[in-house]
Amino acid sequence: MHNSGETLATKSPNLTDHFNRIPKKLRLSITDRCNMHCVYCMPKTGIPLYPKNEILSYEEIQHLATIFAGLGVEKIRLTGGEPLVRPDIEKLIFALSNIAGIKTLGLTTNGLLLSKKAAQLKSAGLQSINLSIDTLNSDKFKSITGIDGLSQVLLSLQTARAQGFEIKINTVIIRGQNDDEIVDFAQFAIDQRCPVRFIEFMPLDGSHIWNQSLVVTKEEMIQRLNKSGFVLLPQNNPLSDPARLYSIQGQEGALGFIPSISESFCGACDRIRLTSDGKFLTCIFERPQNDVKKLLRLGKSDKEIADYLIECYQNKPQGLISLLEQKSLRSGLNLMNTIGG
Ligand code: SAM
Ligand code: SF4
């Protein structure tokens, strides 16, 4: 039997790094597999996948999540690859939603399988969904994702709304691919009354296509929206939230921008990540090296695993700021299909 989260919380200090950042949010990538092949993430070929026996079982994920909760994590988001390709995900969601100290449980998905699963996910305890949609044009959807699936994803959006999930749309903007749709997405946010968050393209692409000229910055997006008559009013949201939020004057919708490249939010970062093969990432740009699964499978105690996590976290790198200073931003720095965003 492993310790409960509450027991660990009283025994162990919380995770803290040299910059006094304390993580509250854990991204659990539960698979590196995906049923889409987005051009900015995971090409159809050329990406080695983890052998199945290297992927954490649901019991192992639950065990590690309990240890993280004991170290102060309050929010968990399941991601991938595509998390919904993993069978019986609702069982994992139910188990995670019952961990002491976990206040919110979310999912990031491409939506292809969501309409079929939405009701089960809701009853299992899932609260929020980030749905990725990069284009509202069917042909372009096929060329970006490799799948003719826009209508299915839009159906999933409606089904998930009907289930009462809190939903946000994630849209990665890439120059020359979908930057002509920024205004359409703003209108979509208004019409659907569903926040759209524009994400700057990050060099975490398995396809190695990233270069700085493909990045459309938050400022450029806002200028384009202003030119089309949208007046954006900044909202106050916590610095630890990477999205800069805006309401749209005179309208119901809201927009967010995740300026991952143009405005580093590393100083207030409160996120940590666990890959599906059990590597603990203290920073999205850190190479996967902290092998927690190894300790777990060696039968180490919860206290030993917690101490290892604390030690790893103390050495969390400063983040994007230092990469920019070293001029070391380049394509494929990490693989987003293994980290999960
Ligand atoms: N398959 C799910 C999905 O697409 O929502 C979850 C995993 S995906 C890696 C998580 C998020 O990362 C998605 O919103 C996706 O658009 C985003 N993403 C993937 N590659 C990216 C990149 N190179 N730069 C910025 N965001 C990226
Ligand atoms: Fe799959 Fe999501 Fe990556 Fe697209 S962004 S290839 S849906 S993991």
Side-chain angles (χ1 to χ4, degrees), residues 102-269:
I102 297 303
K103 296 179 183 160
T104 68
L105 195 51
L107 173 85
T108 303
T109 175
N110 63 28
L112 266 188
L113 300 173
L114 180 60
S115 64
K116 291 194 191 97
K117 283 263 176 184
Q120 281 169 288
L121 300 177
K122 186 73 183 170
S123 346
L126 187 72
Q127 291 153 301
S128 68
I129 294 179
N130 288 357
L131 179 61
S132 303
I133 310 180
D134 300 316
T135 174
L136 298 168
N137 173 298
S138 296
D139 291 337
K140 213 193 278 182
F141 190 94
K142 192 171 176 196
S143 75
I144 291 178
T145 67
I147 299 286
D148 189 3
L150 179 61
S151 54
Q152 181 55 41
V153 172
L154 294 176
L155 171 69
S156 288
L157 172 60
Q158 301 314 334
T159 315
R161 294 183 84 165
Q163 287 294 332
F165 283 112
E166 188 194 314
I167 301 178
K168 293 175 192 143
I169 308 289
N170 278 353
T171 304
V172 180
I173 294 293
I174 302 180
R175 194 179 306 283
Q177 294 263 357
N178 60 351
D179 58 324
D180 56 340
E181 291 190 65
I182 294 168
V183 168
D184 297 344
F185 270 106
Q187 193 57 49
F188 188 77
I190 294 167
D191 296 342
Q192 298 290 323
R193 298 193 177 178
C194 183
V196 171
R197 305 181 321 158
F198 297 107
I199 305 174
E200 289 179 3
F201 182 25
M202 299 174 78
L204 304 172
D205 51 328
S207 42
H208 291 276
I209 59 165
W210 185 91
N211 69 64
Q212 186 74 48
S213 70
L214 296 178
V215 178
V216 182
T217 64
K218 169 189 154 219
E219 279 320 308
E220 184 179 343
M221 292 190 233
I222 291 180
Q223 274 172 17
R224 291 204 202 178
L225 287 163
N226 288 344
K227 269 194 196 153
S228 298
F230 292 93
V231 178
L232 303 189
L233 308 170
Q235 303 294 295
N236 279 331
N237 58 312
L239 276 178
S240 58
D241 182 351
R244 304 287 165 254
L245 301 182
Y246 292 79
S247 58
I248 308 172
Q249 193 174 55
Q251 304 286 354
E252 288 274 339
L255 295 177
F257 298 86
I258 305 189
S260 333
I261 299 299
S262 66
E263 286 174 24
S264 160
F265 35 76
C266 304
C269 177

Side-chain angles (χ1 to χ4, degrees), residues 52-63:
K52 291 233 161 103
N53 62 348
E54 293 298 330
I55 292 183
L56 295 173
S57 68
Y58 284 168
E59 290 71 25
E60 288 173 322
I61 295 173
Q62 181 191 357
H63 188 162

Side-chain angles (χ1 to χ4, degrees), residues 12-69:
S12 311
N14 280 1
L15 301 164
T16 317
D17 72 0
H18 292 303
F19 303 93
N20 289 324
R21 295 174 291 192
I22 298 174
K24 297 279 174 208
K25 300 177 191 142
L26 172 65
R27 292 273 170 95
L28 286 175
S29 174
I30 63 167
T31 178
D32 58 340
R33 271 69 170 171
C34 191
N35 49 4
M36 286 190 187
H37 293 281
C38 302
V39 286
Y40 52 79
C41 180
M42 186 187 186
K44 254 194 184 118
T45 54
I47 296 231
L49 295 174
Y50 301 139
K52 291 233 161 103
N53 62 348
E54 293 298 330
I55 292 183
L56 295 173
S57 68
Y58 284 168
E59 290 71 25
E60 288 173 322
I61 295 173
Q62 181 191 357
H63 188 162
L64 291 175
T66 306
I67 296 175
F68 277 111

